[in-house]
Amino acid sequence: QGKLPLESIQVVLEELRKNGNLEWLDKSKTSFLIMWRRPEEWGKLIYQWVSRNGLTNSVFTLYELVSGDDTESEEFHGLDEAMLLRALQALQQEHKAEIITLDDGRGVKFF
């Protein structure tokens, strides 16, 4: 039939959660988010781009990071805003960035 038993599905989902690629969205574990890359990995890619281009101590809007012409060839171009925020929060915890509020929305300053 091509169907996995529920027990097997739960084992797979738990393994994804342990690796940081799955996050449960509810307590009853019926909804989840599967992530191709963990937020920390996205943050690392973003910071590598910032460093490679000499853009530390620069401020960007979230839009510029994921939709701007400068990032068109980068893997994080087009990244969902919720995942972008998680990636930037990971960088903020490492003291490599600070999420800031701008007049027209949110932005980030890289250190």
Side-chain angles (χ1 to χ4, degrees):
Q1 291 267 1
K3 291 185 178 182
L4 274 177
L6 184 58
E7 230 175 66
S8 298
I9 293 171
Q10 289 171 335
V11 168
V12 170
L13 295 178
E14 180 57 22
E15 198 59 34
L16 285 169
R17 187 199 62 77
K18 284 181 189 174
N19 290 333
N21 295 96
L22 180 141
E23 183 179 301
W24 291 108
L25 298 175
D26 60 351
K27 288 183 181 183
S28 59
K29 296 184 178 181
T30 57
S31 297
F32 52 87
L33 173 66
I34 292 183
M35 299 172 272
W36 175 253
R37 286 194 168 98
R38 295 186 324 264
E40 298 80 13
E41 293 170 322
W42 283 118
K44 184 178 179 181
L45 285 174
I46 293 167
Y47 198 76
Q48 285 172 349
W49 174 79
V50 168
S51 298
R52 193 171 56 243
N53 290 287
L55 298 170
T56 52
N57 295 315
S58 297
V59 174
F60 294 89
T61 65
L62 301 189
Y63 178 84
E64 285 176 308
L65 277 181
V66 294
S67 301
D69 294 341
D70 294 340
T71 63
E72 224 168 29
S73 62
E74 299 301 319
E75 289 184 64
F76 59 86
H77 188 84
L79 189 63
D80 175 72
E81 187 174 325
M83 184 56 71
L84 174 63
L85 280 170
R86 290 173 184 209
L88 296 175
Q89 287 167 346
L91 287 174
Q92 192 166 268
Q93 288 177 340
E94 296 176 24
H95 306 290
K96 293 181 177 179
E98 180 182 356
I99 300 169
I100 57 176
T101 302
L102 303 169
D103 291 340
D104 56 349
R106 286 191 249 187
V108 59
K109 180 174 182 173
F110 294 99
F111 305 110

